[in-house]
Amino acid sequence: MGRRRAREGGTMLTTSVTLVRDTGHHPAEPRPFMKIKPVDHRVRILRDGFTIGDSTDAVRPLEVGTGFDAPVFYLPKADATPRLAPSNRTSHCSLKGEAPALDLRDESGRVIVTDIAWGCTAPHDFASALSDRVGFLAGEVTAEEMAQ
């Protein structure tokens, strides 16, 4: 939602306008917006040729901020490798809420890739479709969409 300002009797009035229908907008930051779309294919997430996520229930938020964000797939936690472990970092997104980062670890528990993914443990109401899902950092993984 955007803001339109008009002067009336020396007072500044602010009204809301919808920028894009059926999208989530944070009230305090109206310009970034997103629409969460289900993916109608099987999605496989790979790192160095190894599968770290595989799902037929993925979603993809289409996000616009100051530009178009890289496409990211979000898979249910149950469809991601158990080798993802909490990192020391948490990020905040005005559209999605708090997102604890996740590291990829090897069989012995050693960190292979730091902050390769993040969880959506408490998303904003308009991003609730991301709840209990894992998003993978686009530049660190290969995502494959396959016919089911």
Side-chain angles (χ1 to χ4, degrees):
M1 106 179 30
R3 304 243 186 246
R4 184 178 298 149
R5 294 188 176 122
R7 288 206 179 268
E8 185 176 290
T11 305
M12 185 67 83
L13 301 175
T14 303
T15 58
S16 296
V17 295
T18 300
L19 293 175
V20 178
R21 208 172 332 145
D22 300 324
T23 61
H25 302 262
H26 191 282
E29 298 180 46
R31 279 185 229 161
F33 57 90
M34 77 175 168
K35 181 172 188 159
I36 300 170
K37 300 200 51 120
V39 178
D40 60 357
H41 301 298
R42 177 179 169 204
V43 173
R44 205 165 58 148
I45 307 295
L46 301 113
R47 170 65 191 215
D48 296 332
F50 295 97
T51 301
I52 59 173
D54 194 334
S55 182
T56 57
D57 186 27
V59 296
R60 178 183 7 218
L62 305 173
E63 298 178 67
V64 176
T66 56
F68 291 96
D69 292 342
V72 173
F73 290 103
Y74 284 76
L75 280 54
K77 283 182 183 177
D79 293 342
T81 180
R83 291 193 195 166
L84 292 174
S87 166
N88 294 328
R89 214 170 69 87
T90 297
S91 63
H92 176 80
C93 172
S94 64
L95 292 172
K96 295 183 258 325
E98 297 297 317
L102 301 168
D103 293 338
L104 180 61
R105 299 178 181 263
D106 65 13
E107 300 87 9
S108 67
R110 185 177 56 88
V111 174
I112 301 170
V113 184
T114 304
D115 303 336
I116 193 169
W118 56 91
C120 285
T121 53
H124 296 301
D125 289 344
F126 54 81
S128 62
L130 301 179
S131 184
D132 294 321
R133 290 181 177 268
V134 176
F136 292 88
L137 191 59
E140 293 291 333
V141 298
T142 299
E144 296 179 343
E145 288 184 69
M146 301 173 283
Q148 292 187 28

Short mmCIF file of all heavy atoms in Angstrom, two decimals, residues 53 72 93 100:
data_model
loop_
_atom_site.label_atom_id
_atom_site.label_comp_id
_atom_site.label_asym_id
_atom_site.label_seq_id
_atom_site.Cartn_x
_atom_site.Cartn_y
_atom_site.Cartn_z
N GLY A 53 17.38 -30.37 -0.24
CA GLY A 53 15.94 -30.14 -0.12
C GLY A 53 15.23 -30.73 -1.32
O GLY A 53 15.76 -30.71 -2.42
N VAL A 72 13.52 -17.12 -4.69
CA VAL A 72 13.89 -18.03 -3.61
C VAL A 72 12.75 -19.03 -3.43
O VAL A 72 11.58 -18.64 -3.42
CB VAL A 72 14.12 -17.25 -2.29
CG1 VAL A 72 14.34 -18.19 -1.13
CG2 VAL A 72 15.30 -16.30 -2.44
N CYS A 93 13.23 -9.07 7.97
CA CYS A 93 12.70 -8.60 6.69
C CYS A 93 11.38 -7.89 6.98
O CYS A 93 10.54 -8.43 7.71
CB CYS A 93 12.49 -9.78 5.76
SG CYS A 93 11.63 -9.35 4.23
N PRO A 100 15.74 -16.65 11.43
CA PRO A 100 17.01 -17.19 11.91
C PRO A 100 17.75 -17.91 10.78
O PRO A 100 17.16 -18.70 10.05
CB PRO A 100 16.60 -18.17 13.01
CG PRO A 100 15.14 -18.39 12.85
CD PRO A 100 14.58 -17.28 12.02
#
